[in-house]
Amino acid sequence: MNGPSVAFLLPEFVNQKSAQRRQFLDRLNAAVACKSIVLLDSNEENEDNWSNLMIVRFAHIKLFGESFRLGLSAALDLGAEKIVTFEGYSAENAGWFTDYLNGGNLIETGKRNFREMLVTEVANLLSFGNSYNNFSFNRILTNQAAGLLKDTKLNSKSFLVESINILNTHGIPTTEIIREEYGKDNKRINLVEMAESIVRSFNKTSINYSLISSFSYLVNLLMVYVSLSLGFFYPVAVLLGGEISGLSNFIVNEKINFRNKGLLSSAYRFGKFNAFILAVVAFDIFMISIISKYLLAFGRTDFSIISTFSIVVVSAVSLFFTNKIIWGKGNHQKVFL
């Protein structure tokens, strides 16, 4: 099933009770087919007790991120091609990986709790990701992925979110196995960790996207107001502003920010993008008509305020769908079981 190129990384293993550590290693020893590397930070385990495990110890560090990076570096130094980590060190979770070692980078997870859902969705929005749940630590990492993560400054549980974003940014695909029945340890995150995870979801691409979108928004406002001052009918003004700002947004993002190549692929994305822009414009016009219908009397100033409010709301709504439909990276595959 797995050869000596597979390493099992057990950070914070020393924090488990002695009986639990023995039970976990007993089940792990039974799950592997040949001599396999086990990296842990406990000095009590004797490898003579487990015929299929070659135990390698590394220093225990209180900060989980540093301990994790140290273990990754040790596994890579030993020539590991795959590195397996565990959500919890219960005996039931010791063999979770047995069906997945022939694949690439993989996460096994279950249903999200509310906090995990909130952080994952916001992180996906900010980083153009596509994960279901960033927080499970049942993972298989290739040496390529491990080589990237060992050089980061990941700490606390926020590294779970950031690690997926790093792989996504570098175009390294991952697969997420999502199980409806998930009996693994449920790690909850506190509010500080939630905020840290979201903040660390920002990357260079998302910052550039924010700047480009802000510029496009100003272009949209300018074109709408100029068109209205020239006497254009409101729907025409909105359509003109949306098309011009959308075209500039697409070109700059497609070729400069995301650096996408290929004429046909860009044309296909532009077709989706333009269709989406037209839908947004139609929604904007619909909102204005509804608002105007229930305001019996409003002057030009009130109309400008309503128009600005409408554009802000529509822009906020469209941001989510644009990220998902147009710019979201497809490096993360989700499989529901």
Side-chain angles (χ1 to χ4, degrees):
M1 178 189 61
N2 60 293
S5 61
V6 177
F8 299 96
L9 176 56
L10 314 180
E12 292 190 342
F13 197 62
V14 69
N15 295 338
Q16 313 304 312
K17 294 181 179 180
S18 179
Q20 184 177 355
R21 294 200 301 268
R22 289 196 300 271
Q23 291 174 1
F24 180 85
L25 292 176
D26 285 342
R27 292 291 296 270
L28 183 60
N29 184 68
V32 299
C34 56
K35 202 74 170 181
S36 303
I37 301 169
V38 177
L39 298 110
L40 47 81
D41 55 2
S42 171
N43 293 320
E44 297 183 17
E45 282 64 43
N46 185 342
E47 64 182 283
D48 293 338
N49 296 328
W50 298 282
S51 59
N52 287 333
L53 305 181
M54 182 177 71
I55 294 178
V56 177
R57 297 175 175 84
F58 61 94
H60 172 67
I61 302 175
K62 289 185 178 180
L63 291 177
F64 186 81
E66 291 187 13
S67 179
F68 177 70
R69 290 193 299 274
L70 182 62
L72 285 180
S73 296
L76 292 173
D77 289 341
L78 292 169
E81 293 295 325
K82 296 281 183 68
I83 300 169
V84 180
T85 60
F86 299 84
E87 171 72 2
Y89 297 128
S90 63
E92 293 77 12
N93 195 41
W96 79 266
F97 57 88
T98 54
D99 295 329
Y100 307 123
L101 281 177
N102 292 328
N105 296 289
L106 184 140
I107 304 172
E108 185 196 46
T109 184
K111 288 184 177 180
R112 300 171 293 183
N113 59 45
F114 175 77
R115 292 186 178 186
E116 292 173 344
M117 179 275 293
L118 179 62
V119 173
T120 301
E121 291 301 334
V122 175
N124 284 341
L125 178 64
L126 297 177
S127 64
F128 304 93
N130 185 40
S131 64
Y132 175 84
N133 185 351
N134 285 315
F135 294 96
S136 174
F137 202 50
N138 273 349
R139 301 191 177 195
I140 298 175
L141 299 171
T142 62
N143 61 345
Q144 181 188 17
L148 287 172
L149 298 182
K150 76 177 181 63
D151 295 324
T152 62
K153 298 186 180 298
L154 309 176
N155 286 305
S156 189
K157 291 178 186 144
S158 65
F159 87 93
L160 293 169
V161 175
E162 188 177 351
S163 61
I164 295 301
N165 290 341
I166 289 173
L167 300 185
N168 191 49
T169 299
H170 286 81
I172 298 177
T174 54
T175 300
E176 189 172 13
I177 306 296
I178 303 164
R179 295 187 176 279
E180 185 173 353
E181 298 295 331
Y182 191 75
K184 313 301 185 298
D185 298 345
N186 187 20
K187 295 183 178 180
R188 295 186 63 85
I189 56 173
N190 58 43
L191 295 178
V192 174
E193 291 167 338
M194 288 176 66
E196 184 181 3
S197 297
I198 291 173
V199 170
R200 294 178 75 92
S201 298
F202 274 102
N203 51 41
K204 183 179 179 180
T205 299
S206 56
I207 293 173
N208 289 341
Y209 181 84
S210 299
L211 294 174
I212 295 167
S213 296
S214 298
F215 175 76
S216 299
Y217 168 71
L218 294 176
V219 170
N220 193 2
L221 278 181
L222 179 62
M223 290 305 303
V224 170
Y225 289 139
V226 168
S227 299
L228 289 175
S229 66
L230 293 175
F232 283 85
F233 189 49
Y234 181 77
V236 177
V238 172
L239 177 62
L240 183 62
E243 282 291 321
I244 292 177
S245 64
L247 179 62
S248 62
N249 183 299
F250 179 85
I251 293 174
V252 177
N253 269 311
E254 177 75 1
K255 297 304 180 184
I256 297 178
N257 191 25
F258 294 99
R259 299 179 182 179
N260 291 324
K261 298 180 181 180
L263 180 60
L264 291 179
S265 59
S266 293
Y268 174 69
R269 270 189 294 274
F270 178 71
K272 292 196 300 181
F273 183 81
N274 198 51
F276 181 75
I277 289 295
L278 293 176
V280 170
V281 169
F283 182 65
D284 189 15
I285 296 172
F286 173 75
M287 282 191 64
I288 286 292
S289 64
I290 293 297
I291 294 172
S292 301
K293 180 179 180 180
Y294 292 100
L295 289 178
L296 299 178
F298 61 91
R300 191 176 185 84
T301 301
D302 294 325
F303 185 86
S304 298
I305 294 174
I306 296 170
S307 176
T308 302
F309 174 77
S310 174
I311 292 175
V312 170
V313 172
V314 171
S315 296
V317 173
S318 65
L319 174 64
F320 175 81
F321 290 101
T322 304
N323 283 19
K324 290 287 187 180
I325 298 172
I326 310 300
W327 305 119
K329 294 182 175 67
N331 298 322
H332 192 87
Q333 179 183 4
K334 294 174 285 191
V335 179
F336 291 84
L337 298 180

